[in-house]
Amino acid sequence: MTTTHAGPAGPEEAALAAAISPEPDIVTCDACPVLCRIRAGKTGACDRYGNVAGRLTRMDPLTVLVRAPTAVRFAGDDWSGNPIAAKDVFVTAIGAGTTYPDYKPAPFIVGSEVDGVDMVTVVSEGIFSYCGLKIKIDTDRHLGAECAPVRANGEIVGHVTTAEYGSQMLSLGGVHHLTGGSKKEGVATCDTLLALCNGAAVDLSVDGGASVIVKSGAAPIVDGVPEQRMRVGCGSATIGIFASQWLGHADEVIVVDDHITGVLTEHQAGKFLGMRAAGIRVRGRRSTPGRYFQVANPGLGWGGTDIIDPLAIIERIDPKLAWPGLRLLMVSTTGEHSAWFVLDDELAPRPEPMPATISDAVARIGENCEPALCTVLFMAGAGGSLRAGATENPVLLTRAAQRGRARVTSGGAPVYIWPGGGITFMVDVATLPANSFGSVPTPALVAPIEFMLPLADYAALGGHVGRVRRVEDVLAQARPRAVAPPEGVAFPISRATAPPASVAR
Ligand code: SF4
């Protein structure tokens, strides 16, 4: 019984597979190190490959991106060679399959002409043991201390990293969690990465912190509460933005923020407007005039602090400076929390109904906040063995990618390649077609990756030019699924994609 891939299997692969799997109703999948033996009508451990009538088959269709999907006639089984121009279709690695060991040529090495230049796209679903996610969660709320472990299904799958401007970053996965811990930890990590990459919601918990439901492109849900707004800025920035709009309507404004709490009349913005010092001193460490650090502990309350009653951050009120009737607005950096006080004859702040002008000013803060979202970036190292599927001299592919001679995409989506050695790339999972990722039980993630470069350059870097197939032939054989790039993502083939051919160095 021979095994064949959805992609082109050479006679040596078929011979090897036959040698491994002599039973007539079993095919051996050689697309990853697991080497599943698959009975007729069944799929392997990852469900990506199955035994269909004795043939090893990639169960998901090859996915191609098309520039104008309404003009495409090759959907489904009816395709029989149609007039679509090669420059209007891009063969992605989604559903392309993998080759193992890596020195075998990639499943599809596609030749096409773009703007008069012969181009090659090397297409493969990479198996990534070195991969992880960088997740940006737009929230002021304290999710946990920096370096705190992040768990999924009770297993540590990553950690909290830096707090950024209005966002908390998490780092999930990486080779240590995939391979360096228990089998359970590796499986939980792989499952978590896969779910997030494919756009599913995942329930995470931070040791000593909050629980958060994360889904690419959706608002985070922190301890059961959906986040609404991403802060307009820190407390100091909020004052810098809105100070002139508060002038004449409030005598003091304190913007409560876990990082930098702002006090208007002390702040340079208030001074510039000629505001009278109000004499209200907040707790914490004074950084510069009107800017205070550590006014409270981090938490889920006002401005990412643990404050429920904003007056708790007032340390003292100076009777030499403050006056009865002083009007005080306290507000958070999203405008989600706000309170209006007037000092009584003893200079104690008394809550009062908020005037309409102040309500409008608070609403203006909220209006300037962007919706809170989760952003999931997949990061992986493609500088390893998968390069051998593209060329016999892998370092030349690395150089071509680093120098922009070979354009690297993931499912047709643009990637960012880190400077320095290797091909370490990052891609926003929301820019790939739905369900572009898979996994294998080694455990590792499976992600599409494509290298596009001029044919002349490909030959110069030792590419497998004998395995190049015209795009029309690939489309005819593979009967692909045609989709448009996700909204807002540019079609991957453009004039810039096809630089003049030159010899790779
Ligand atoms: S885990 Fe999937 S890719 Fe790996 S051998 Fe089994 S079926 Fe093939």
Side-chain angles (χ1 to χ4, degrees):
M1 179 75 50
T2 59
T3 60
T4 54
H5 292 272
E12 65 275 23
E13 289 95 327
L16 174 62
I20 292 171
S21 179
E23 296 97 326
D25 63 337
I26 290 178
V27 295
T28 298
C29 178
D30 61 347
C32 93
V34 178
L35 297 176
C36 292
R37 299 172 72 252
I38 309 173
R39 295 197 175 279
K42 303 289 186 188
T43 56
C46 68
D47 286 337
R48 297 166 57 239
Y49 283 89
N51 179 343
V52 178
R55 288 173 62 93
L56 182 65
T57 304
R58 181 69 178 88
M59 301 305 288
D60 304 298
L62 179 71
T63 294
V64 299
L65 295 182
V66 287
R67 197 185 299 271
T70 52
V72 176
R73 287 198 287 134
F74 61 68
D77 292 342
D78 298 333
W79 191 85
S80 57
N82 82 25
I84 190 166
K87 68 181 174 52
D88 293 328
V89 60
F90 179 83
V91 178
T92 79
I94 303 164
T98 42
T99 47
Y100 185 80
D102 304 283
Y103 61 75
K104 295 178 189 171
F108 293 98
I109 303 176
V110 184
S112 59
E113 188 186 305
V114 178
D115 294 332
V117 178
D118 283 327
M119 302 291 290
V120 169
T121 309
V122 181
V123 168
S124 181
E125 287 180 301
I127 298 177
F128 295 103
S129 299
Y130 292 85
C131 70
L133 302 179
K134 307 301 172 203
I135 301 179
K136 173 174 167 282
I137 300 174
D138 301 335
T139 184
D140 268 357
R141 282 171 240 279
H142 181 68
L143 299 184
E146 214 163 281
C147 302
V150 175
R151 293 177 189 268
N153 291 324
E155 294 294 321
I156 298 176
V157 298
H159 64 274
V160 177
T161 174
T162 51
E164 301 297 343
Y165 208 100
S167 310
Q168 177 62 63
M169 309 296 291
L170 304 183
S171 177
L172 302 190
V175 70
H176 291 306
H177 288 294
L178 283 168
T179 71
S182 66
K183 183 175 181 185
K184 209 171 157 201
E185 177 180 332
V187 170
T189 301
C190 190
D191 290 349
T192 301
L193 300 185
L194 178 62
L196 287 166
C197 284
N198 280 337
V202 171
D203 202 343
L204 302 172
S205 64
V206 180
D207 283 8
S211 74
V212 56
I213 297 177
V214 175
K215 181 178 191 294
S216 169
I221 301 174
V222 181
D223 278 355
V225 179
E227 189 62 276
Q228 304 286 336
R229 302 172 190 169
M230 180 181 181
R231 62 161 56 185
V232 69
C234 68
S236 173
T238 306
I239 284 179
I241 296 168
F242 297 109
S244 63
Q245 299 180 36
W246 299 330
L247 184 65
H249 304 296
D251 300 309
E252 183 62 285
V253 178
I254 298 173
V255 183
V256 181
D257 175 18
D258 178 42
H259 307 134
I260 308 172
T261 288
V263 180
L264 174 60
T265 63
E266 251 191 76
H267 193 278
Q268 183 67 8
K271 285 198 168 42
F272 192 77
L273 292 167
M275 292 187 75
R276 175 182 169 186
I280 300 176
R281 175 69 155 86
V282 299
R283 298 185 192 282
R285 181 159 64 85
R286 188 171 184 255
S287 162
T288 54
R291 300 170 72 255
Y292 290 82
F293 300 162
Q294 301 153 16
V295 298
N297 294 315
L300 303 181
W302 283 54
T305 69
D306 60 351
I307 291 296
I308 304 301
D309 173 10
L311 296 179
I313 70 163
I314 294 180
E315 189 171 79
R316 60 187 148 78
I317 296 178
D318 186 345
K320 294 198 195 79
L321 297 173
W323 63 94
L326 185 152
R327 300 164 299 171
L328 168 65
L329 170 65
M330 299 191 78
V331 66
S332 68
T333 47
T334 58
E336 182 183 339
H337 295 98
S338 62
W340 179 250
F341 302 95
V342 177
L343 299 196
D344 65 14
D345 290 343
E346 277 71 47
L347 302 182
R350 300 290 173 204
E352 293 281 347
M354 188 175 285
T357 49
I358 295 299
S359 299
D360 291 347
V362 171
R364 177 62 63 87
I365 296 175
E367 184 187 328
N368 276 271
C369 294
E370 294 172 81
L373 294 176
C374 299
T375 310
V376 178
L377 298 192
F378 175 73
M379 178 169 166
S385 56
L386 79 75
R387 295 173 299 168
T391 169
E392 293 172 350
N393 197 0
V395 70
L396 294 182
L397 180 67
T398 304
R399 290 177 191 154
Q402 290 171 344
R403 294 170 185 171
R405 297 297 306 165
R407 185 168 186 224
V408 185
T409 52
S410 177
V415 306
Y416 172 77
I417 296 178
W418 281 75
I423 306 174
T424 300
F425 71 96
M426 290 200 302
V427 63
D428 180 353
V429 302
T431 61
L432 279 75
N435 296 314
S436 294
F437 292 81
S439 69
V440 290
T442 54
L445 265 282
V446 177
I449 188 156
E450 304 94 23
F451 299 92
M452 189 176 203
L453 68 170
L455 174 62
D457 284 4
Y458 188 56
L461 59 77
H464 304 297
V465 289
R467 303 301 281 262
V468 175
R469 295 194 297 160
R470 297 303 303 171
V471 63
E472 295 82 0
D473 297 338
V474 172
L475 296 176
Q477 184 201 334
R479 291 179 172 173
R481 171 180 77 123
V483 299
E487 193 176 347
V489 180
F491 187 72
I493 300 176
S494 64
R495 280 184 182 278
T497 309
S502 66
V503 175
R505 287 172 291 278

